[in-house]
């Protein structure tokens, strides 16, 4: 069974630009969640989608947005990039979601560098 | 305030030795506690998930314990191997969804030959 796939693996962008990251969940998983990981803040929850609907949202500004398609694939968009957005962005898929004690299966992330 | 604190911040042990990592939390109302292993440059991999009623769970050489009364958890690694070198992250979930996932800062473990 294929794991969670995130593309691209590495990305370099300039301040002010926008970026789209992609996540393909494990087949059959309907919940996809996104996280930002930085050395200073650790892992922080961005948002979760379930059956194409945003079900939960973390404390990030509106520049961070996402969506989920009917095949459960998800994209995350960051507009007007800032230097502080440089981070490892991880997505995780699960059958039902974290609150149902479902295991979270993480991808290997997209390393975003903003210059 | 919901918090998860892990100790030690980093640890060096010799191959074949055992070690124990600690996680203290002040998350309420408690739903579950998870331990993840994250290798450098890769995503976290789930080791264990424990709910309120579980106090021990094993996954191979990894054994997690949970004391819901004192709000403490530990991850014990037996007969360490070089491949155990990684960050270990404790995550506590309060009831109410993903925005109630509280992540610890992790313990960085280095296993030396």
């Amino acid at each position: 069974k294929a794991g969670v796939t995130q593309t691209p693996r590495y990305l370099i962008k300039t301040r002010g630009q926008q970026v789209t990251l992609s996540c393909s969940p494990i087949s059959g998983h309907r919940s996809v969640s996104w996280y930002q990981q930085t050395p200073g803040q650790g892992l922080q929850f961005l948002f979760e989608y379930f059956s194409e609907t945003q079900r939960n949202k973390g404390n990030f500004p509106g520049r961070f947005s996402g969506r989920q398609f009917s095949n459960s694939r998800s994209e995350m968009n960051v507009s007007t990039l800032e230097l502080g957005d440089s981070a490892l962005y991880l997505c995780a898929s699960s059958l039902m979601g974290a609150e149902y004690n479902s295991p979270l299966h993480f991808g290997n992330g997209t390393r975003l560098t903003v210059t | 305030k919901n918090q998860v604190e892990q100790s030690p911040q980093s640890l060096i042990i010799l191959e074949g030795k055992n070690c124990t990592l600690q996680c203290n939390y002040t998350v309420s109302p408690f739903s579950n506690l998870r331990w993840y292993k994250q290798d450098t440059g890769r995503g976290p991999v789930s080791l264990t998930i424990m709910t309120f009623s579980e106090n021990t769970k094993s996954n191979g050489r990894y054994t997690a314990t949970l004391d819901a009364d004192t709000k403490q958890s530990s991850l014990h690694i037996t007969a360490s191997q070089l491949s155990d070198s990684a960050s270990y992250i404790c995550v506590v979930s309060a009831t109410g969804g993903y925005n109630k996932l509280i992540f610890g800062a992790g313990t960085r473990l280095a296993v030396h030959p």
Side-chain angles (χ1 to χ4, degrees):
Chain A
K1 200 173 191 181
V4 177
T5 303
Q6 290 188 248
T7 56
R9 283 283 278 139
Y10 302 94
L11 208 48
I12 300 175
K13 290 287 188 178
T14 305
R15 269 181 303 175
Q17 287 186 315
Q18 67 94 27
V19 66
T20 299
L21 313 181
S22 180
C23 173
S24 293
I26 291 172
S27 178
H29 285 191
R30 298 163 67 187
S31 168
V32 175
S33 51
W34 289 87
Y35 306 83
Q36 181 193 68
Q37 187 174 34
T38 60
Q41 298 293 321
L43 268 163
Q44 294 181 284
F45 166 70
L46 280 156
F47 32 67
E48 184 228 359
Y49 285 86
F50 187 88
S51 294
E52 301 180 65
T53 300
Q54 187 180 86
R55 193 162 65 170
N56 289 282
K57 190 177 189 303
N59 297 320
F60 278 81
R63 300 185 298 106
F64 292 82
S65 63
R67 59 178 176 168
Q68 187 179 32
F69 302 95
S70 58
N71 61 359
S72 291
R73 189 178 70 86
S74 178
E75 287 182 347
M76 189 191 93
N77 185 275
V78 188
S79 63
T80 320
L81 284 165
E82 300 176 359
L83 294 178
D85 296 334
S86 294
L88 179 66
Y89 289 89
L90 293 159
C91 84
S93 76
S94 71
L95 269 172
M96 295 299 293
E99 64 266 42
Y100 297 101
N101 300 327
S102 291
L104 296 177
H105 300 268
F106 285 87
N108 286 326
T110 293
R111 171 75 62 187
L112 173 65
T113 302
V114 182
T115 61
Chain B
K1 181 183 178 184
N2 288 331
Q3 279 187 314
V4 174
E5 294 183 352
Q6 292 188 244
S7 62
Q9 193 172 23
S10 62
L11 183 62
I12 300 174
I13 62 173
L14 292 176
E15 186 179 13
K17 298 297 186 182
N18 303 334
C19 68
T20 300
L21 314 180
Q22 298 291 341
C23 174
N24 296 338
Y25 62 93
T26 55
V27 176
S28 181
F30 177 85
S31 177
N32 60 66
L33 185 146
R34 305 161 186 254
W35 282 96
Y36 286 90
K37 175 188 177 189
Q38 185 174 23
D39 293 316
T40 301
R42 301 182 74 84
V45 174
S46 179
L47 295 175
T48 62
I49 301 174
M50 287 185 291
T51 59
F52 184 88
S53 59
E54 298 171 298
N55 51 29
T56 301
K57 187 163 277 190
S58 292
N59 179 355
R61 295 179 297 101
Y62 301 100
T63 299
T65 65
L66 173 65
D67 186 332
D69 291 331
T70 61
K71 297 187 177 180
Q72 295 180 324
S73 176
S74 64
L75 180 69
H76 186 74
I77 304 175
T78 305
S80 61
Q81 301 176 358
L82 298 178
S83 59
D84 292 330
S85 295
S87 286
Y88 292 84
I89 302 170
C90 174
V91 186
V92 182
S93 175
T95 54
Y98 277 82
N99 48 358
K100 301 298 185 185
L101 277 178
I102 314 298
F103 294 88
T107 292
R108 177 161 288 281
L109 174 66
V111 181
H112 290 182

